[in-house]
Amino acid sequence: MDYETNDPEARQTGSFSRTSSTSSSLRRRSLSLSGVVHSHIDDGIESENVSEAGDIGDRALNSNRFSESGSLRLSIDNAMDNGVNFPIPENNLLQSYGFWHRDPTPSNTVSVVTPSPEEIISPLSAKPLVCTEEKKQEKEEVIPKSLEYISCLIHLAVFGILGVITRYLLQKLFGPSIANVTSDHSILYLDLPSNMVGSFLMGWWGVVFKGDISRVSDYLAIGLTTGYLGSLTTFSGWNQKMLDLSVDGKWVFAFLGFIIGLFLAAYSIIFGIETAKGFRWLLKKLGSSSNIGNSNSGSNWRVDSYKRHLAVMVALMLLLFVLWIVSAFLSKEDFHSGSSEAQLWLACIVGPPGVWIRWFLARLNGRGLGKAGYLKWVPFGSLIANVSAACVMAALAIVKKAVDTKTCNTLASGIQLGFLGCLSTVSTFIAEFNAMRQSKHPWRAYVYALATILISFGFGTLIYSVPVWIKAY
């Protein structure tokens, strides 16, 4: 039964009560929705970030990396114009992998306006975004896009060749001929030292000091990480040595070779990160580099103008031609001998295309599958590069056994050492593995590593081991 009241104060109180109740309910629903969407966005951003921890390929040139994420395409300006201020929590995962050149400035400002779902963005500092956007616009005004690609390819080629030479020298240094630590018939395979050294340096150049290197030149950062470290380390060589062990019936050795190789590479990048942080702290403590982390430091060394960029590109182009000419001459001299030196010089010639393909494939990292972007946390670019290189490596290995001539061995081994060694990488693979291991879902790291190893080893067994067993090579 309804009762009317003529008391205006009571009627006002009831109205206020209902309004407050409705307002509270709407506020709770809004906050709940905001929390759900915000949590969903955070999880999507983290999945994308761990997938991009190693490399994002030519996307680094085409656009600001933050705008690549669907969740990050939401407009900061639109949110700010509506009076929405966002707390900026510290994100150690992003900072660790060089996604911010400067530490984000935390903000404790809370807006009285509840943001709508369209206005909710990730907890990223606006200042680095603005700085990165200004840097991008300045770069686009100075350097044509075609010149960017050419310069990047030259950097990758030169540093890729240097990575191949370094890997070869480490094979010789730790191999049977000198230190006798590694061998073809041991779980300590020939490329283990180079994979460890490359992973260690990835902690320095690809994580801790990546921002400092990028402030000098973005192309230098790409050349050092994707070019040099990616070519210094090789996943296909690692997989092939385990196939050689398994084809001889040493399955336990092959299993231990994968476990020990993954363990040592994973701890190499951790050791690299910690020592690099210690070195940075020491420099600051001693005052020998008081401007580390400052955007104005090292301005004299910056490649930030058209003339400087052109000068560096011409110098590297000349160096690339010299390396190719010398490698071609030495390869021709030693080709018919079937020596390892002939294989090295041939590897230096065919190595750069492997780096270029891996760099272009890296644009798939963080994209996921389909328009919806399923499995964004899986670095499909790196996965495809490593698996395809391992398969071709196995195919060339069976060709060498079937043909068994010096010319065939030199050609196949040169392609394996150069092209396939540069196409596959452990340093990027381990950077992604380490980023996943530090994320909210550490199990993804082991799923990714297991999938890469099992797919590569499985296809390698079908391509290489089965024909060897059947033909009894």
Side-chain angles (χ1 to χ4, degrees):
M1 189 175 195
D2 296 333
Y3 294 92
E4 286 288 337
T5 178
N6 294 323
D7 187 356
E9 184 177 350
R11 191 161 47 245
Q12 183 178 3
T13 303
S15 174
F16 178 76
S17 177
R18 286 192 299 271
T19 303
S20 299
S21 176
T22 304
S23 176
S24 300
S25 177
L26 289 173
R27 187 180 298 110
R28 284 196 299 270
R29 291 179 184 178
S30 176
L31 291 174
S32 177
L33 177 61
S34 300
V36 171
V37 175
H38 190 59
S39 176
H40 177 72
I41 290 175
D42 283 346
D43 186 66
I45 293 170
E46 184 188 53
S47 297
E48 188 173 351
N49 288 334
V50 297
S51 181
E52 297 175 349
D55 196 4
I56 58 172
D58 62 336
R59 284 162 55 200
L61 301 181
N62 291 335
S63 61
N64 188 326
R65 85 163 291 281
F66 295 104
S67 66
E68 291 294 335
S69 168
S71 56
L72 289 174
R73 278 194 288 264
L74 301 174
S75 171
I76 289 181
D77 295 333
N78 181 48
M80 294 303 180
D81 291 341
N82 285 281
V84 180
N85 296 314
F86 302 97
I88 313 297
E90 184 177 359
N91 190 324
N92 293 327
L93 178 65
L94 288 175
Q95 291 181 28
S96 297
Y97 282 87
F99 293 142
W100 287 331
H101 288 185
R102 284 177 290 277
D103 293 333
T105 304
S107 171
N108 295 321
T109 305
V110 180
S111 172
V112 296
V113 181
T114 303
S116 65
E118 294 83 2
E119 294 168 345
I120 298 173
I121 64 172
S122 64
L124 293 174
S125 173
K127 184 177 179 181
L129 289 177
V130 173
C131 293
T132 308
E133 186 64 24
E134 290 175 354
K135 183 179 179 182
K136 173 197 167 187
Q137 292 174 354
E138 179 183 357
K139 181 175 65 174
E140 288 180 346
E141 293 174 359
V142 176
I143 305 169
K145 185 179 293 185
S146 58
L147 197 62
E148 280 188 328
Y149 268 89
I150 294 173
S151 179
C152 203
L153 292 177
I154 293 173
H155 276 77
L156 290 170
V158 171
F159 284 101
I161 292 174
L162 297 178
V164 170
I165 295 174
T166 307
R167 173 155 43 92
Y168 174 83
L169 294 175
L170 289 174
Q171 285 182 356
K172 292 298 181 182
L173 177 62
F174 290 95
S177 57
I178 300 180
N180 198 25
V181 176
T182 60
S183 70
D184 285 328
H185 308 287
S186 168
I187 56 177
L188 301 179
Y189 56 97
L190 289 176
D191 291 318
L192 179 60
S194 60
N195 286 345
M196 291 177 61
V197 171
S199 299
F200 173 81
L201 292 177
M202 179 60 85
W204 280 68
W205 300 340
V207 179
V208 177
F209 289 105
K210 188 174 184 178
D212 301 278
I213 298 172
S214 295
R215 275 191 287 274
V216 175
S217 171
D218 290 329
Y219 309 102
L220 177 61
I222 293 174
L224 284 173
T225 55
T226 304
Y228 181 73
L229 298 182
S231 301
L232 170 60
T233 60
T234 172
F235 179 83
S236 58
W238 176 18
N239 184 74
Q240 187 57 42
K241 295 308 177 185
M242 299 305 105
L243 286 173
D244 290 334
L245 291 174
S246 66
V247 83
D248 292 333
K250 300 178 181 178
W251 292 94
V252 175
F253 277 20
F255 175 77
L256 292 176
F258 277 122
I259 296 298
I260 292 175
L262 181 63
F263 176 84
L264 292 178
Y267 274 90
S268 292
I269 193 172
I270 294 173
F271 185 55
I273 292 172
E274 295 303 320
T275 53
K277 288 180 178 178
F279 183 69
R280 179 190 287 275
W281 175 85
L282 183 62
L283 288 179
K284 288 182 178 180
K285 195 72 174 178
L286 295 176
S288 59
S289 183
S290 59
N291 289 326
I292 286 182
N294 192 328
S295 60
N296 296 322
S297 64
S299 58
N300 294 331
W301 293 95
R302 284 184 187 172
V303 184
D304 56 357
S305 67
Y306 182 84
K307 290 183 179 179
R308 289 188 178 187
H309 184 80
L310 192 62
V312 171
M313 190 178 71
V314 170
L316 286 178
M317 187 180 295
L318 292 175
L319 178 58
L320 177 61
F321 285 151
V322 170
L323 288 172
W324 266 340
I325 292 171
V326 172
S327 298
F329 176 77
L330 294 175
S331 178
K332 184 179 179 181
E333 290 288 321
D334 299 332
F335 187 80
H336 296 291
S337 66
S339 63
S340 60
E341 288 79 9
Q343 298 170 9
L344 170 64
W345 305 128
L346 178 60
C348 292
I349 298 173
V350 301
V355 186
W356 296 335
I357 294 174
R358 173 163 49 83
W359 183 62
F360 281 112
L361 285 174
R363 74 187 336 266
L364 300 177
N365 293 341
R367 289 293 183 87
L369 296 175
K371 294 182 179 180
Y374 297 108
L375 298 175
K376 274 192 174 183
W377 60 273
V378 179
F380 285 104
S382 301
L383 180 64
I384 293 171
N386 282 334
V387 171
S388 59
C391 291
V392 179
M393 176 83 77
L396 288 177
I398 196 64
V399 168
K400 287 196 297 183
K401 285 186 176 292
V403 179
D404 196 20
T405 62
K406 285 186 178 180
T407 301
C408 179
N409 287 339
T410 301
L411 281 172
S413 298
I415 295 173
Q416 287 177 322
L417 179 65
F419 177 75
L420 299 176
C422 293
L423 176 58
S424 64
T425 176
V426 168
S427 59
T428 302
F429 167 72
I430 287 298
E432 295 157 350
F433 174 84
N434 194 54
M436 292 179 192
R437 204 172 53 82
Q438 294 179 356
S439 69
K440 295 179 181 177
H441 309 283
W443 57 268
R444 291 176 174 175
Y446 302 98
V447 170
Y448 171 55
L450 192 63
T452 304
I453 292 172
L454 287 181
I455 294 173
S456 301
F457 188 77
F459 280 118
T461 300
L462 293 175
I463 297 171
Y464 174 73
S465 302
V466 172
V468 170
W469 293 328
I470 295 175
K471 297 291 185 179
Y473 288 124

